[in-house]
Amino acid sequence: MNSLSTYLLISALLFSMGLLGILQRRNLIGMLISVELLLNAANLNFMAFNRFLAHDPVTGQVITLFVMGLAAAEAAIGLSIILALYRKMHSINIEAAQKMKG
Amino acid sequence: MDTSGLNFILQAAFWVTVALTISGAAIAVFPRNILYNVLGLALALIGVSGFYLYLGSLFVALMQLLIYVGAICIAIVFAIMLSRPLHVDIPPRSAGKVWLGILAATVFFIGAAGVALKTNWQAAAGHVYKASQWSVQNIGNALLTRYELVFEVISLVLLVAIIGAVITAGFSRRISS
């Protein structure tokens, strides 16, 4: 019903907001949230191309499901790393993690 | 049935979904309270699942609600509430860096929007929109035939991620205490 470029514009807007979040936050959990926004923008693109252009409508949905699985894995690992980091340096400020700076 | 009235309602609901998604993304990025960020992320993800409904895939929309809103957002909320980082105040970045970030994001948006609008998108040969092709049955068939290897690898990745998360969170407690 709506054209392909509508969806592409929405997902570009989502992606740039996620990018802005990654660049301007110092909070590790905030950066993780922004990464989820980026993955969702990519997923929305896949589904839109799938709906309007693709030969086989299964492909885009399967890719979207795989990205969701990877995002779940990434969130679990990311959260546990954040918790471990917080126990070590009592802060989740990204700029406090400088032990390997040399 | 008056189809134009129905179409109008569908269009209005679409733009409401757009507004929900964009405002959710804004809430996820801008406020300083991390709990508001998670709730904004949940709002944006619900909006994106609404787009999946508009794109014709009920299954992926439900999976989006189940995995993203039900699992990932709740996991982040638990991680915030069960440890103390919620109450740790983090000073904001310096204004110059924030402006550079805004500049970078704007440049990216202009580029992506230009590509989306200027390209002459051509449907692949044999593209026809049939609702029957979007059934769960077809997705299941593809998952267990053509994409079987990827499916298994994803399962392995999830298993490794779970074990890794347990070990990372558990070992560091033993080391630090």
Side-chain angles (χ1 to χ4, degrees), chain B residues 101-170:
Chain B
I102 291 174
L103 182 71
T106 316
V107 166
F108 174 82
F109 176 71
I110 292 172
V115 170
L117 291 179
K118 292 284 180 193
T119 311
N120 181 22
W121 300 107
Q122 303 257 335
H127 166 78
V128 273
Y129 177 62
K130 275 191 298 188
S132 65
Q133 280 185 324
W134 290 69
S135 64
V136 181
Q137 208 170 7
N138 280 354
I139 300 177
N141 271 336
L143 272 182
L144 289 181
T145 53
R146 194 164 17 140
Y147 299 101
E148 164 107 53
L149 181 68
V150 193
F151 186 64
E152 299 291 338
V153 172
I154 290 278
S155 322
L156 194 66
V157 167
L158 273 174
L159 180 70
V160 171
I162 293 169
I163 297 174
V166 170
I167 288 179
T168 313

Side-chain angles (χ1 to χ4, degrees), chain A residues 1-96:
Chain A
M1 55 183 295
N2 288 286
S3 66
L4 174 63
S5 41
T6 317
Y7 290 100
L8 293 186
L9 281 182
I10 294 166
S11 94
L13 192 54
L14 271 185
F15 195 98
S16 47
M17 287 179 99
L19 193 64
L20 175 62
I22 286 191
L23 290 177
Q24 65 131 3
R25 299 302 294 270
R26 277 167 147 176
N27 187 328
L28 270 172
I29 294 184
M31 296 173 88
L32 190 69
I33 290 172
S34 304
V35 170
E36 303 295 336
L37 274 184
L38 298 185
L39 288 173
N40 260 279
N43 268 352
L44 189 58
N45 255 1
F46 272 122
M47 289 295 286
F49 282 124
N50 188 35
R51 163 74 177 75
F52 291 102
L53 304 181
H55 170 63
D56 181 7
V58 166
T59 316
Q61 301 183 63
V62 169
I63 291 176
T64 305
L65 288 177
F66 288 153
V67 173
M68 280 182 197
L70 283 181
E74 170 248 324
I77 283 284
L79 281 175
S80 73
I81 288 178
I82 290 173
L83 285 186
L85 213 58
Y86 174 70
R87 284 206 202 97
K88 249 193 164 34
M89 58 188 199
H90 302 286
S91 157
I92 48 171
N93 184 344
I94 184 74
E95 288 176 358

Side-chain angles (χ1 to χ4, degrees), chain B residues 8-175:
Chain B
F8 176 75
I9 294 176
L10 278 176
Q11 275 299 339
F14 180 82
W15 290 107
V16 168
T17 316
V18 172
L20 271 185
T21 310
I22 301 302
S23 58
I27 297 174
V29 170
F30 294 119
R32 319 253 336 131
N33 187 335
I34 194 73
L35 202 57
Y36 292 168
N37 293 150
V38 183
L39 297 180
L41 177 70
L43 190 64
L45 297 182
I46 291 172
V48 172
S49 87
F51 291 137
Y52 292 162
L53 276 185
Y54 272 97
L55 289 169
S57 180
L58 180 65
F59 177 67
V60 176
L62 289 179
M63 282 301 119
Q64 166 94 2
L65 282 182
L66 197 71
I67 297 176
Y68 267 117
V69 184
I72 295 181
C73 284
I74 300 299
I76 295 177
V77 168
F78 269 125
I80 293 172
M81 292 198 162
L82 292 183
S83 63
R84 264 164 304 152
L86 176 63
H87 311 294
V88 180
D89 211 22
I90 293 180
R93 274 203 200 283
S94 58
K97 285 181 182 174
V98 171
W99 281 110
L100 277 179
I102 291 174
L103 182 71
T106 316
V107 166
F108 174 82
F109 176 71
I110 292 172
V115 170
L117 291 179
K118 292 284 180 193
T119 311
N120 181 22
W121 300 107
Q122 303 257 335
H127 166 78
V128 273
Y129 177 62
K130 275 191 298 188
S132 65
Q133 280 185 324
W134 290 69
S135 64
V136 181
Q137 208 170 7
N138 280 354
I139 300 177
N141 271 336
L143 272 182
L144 289 181
T145 53
R146 194 164 17 140
Y147 299 101
E148 164 107 53
L149 181 68
V150 193
F151 186 64
E152 299 291 338
V153 172
I154 290 278
S155 322
L156 194 66
V157 167
L158 273 174
L159 180 70
V160 171
I162 293 169
I163 297 174
V166 170
I167 288 179
T168 313
F171 271 169
S172 71
R173 176 191 304 255
R174 211 168 300 155
I175 291 169

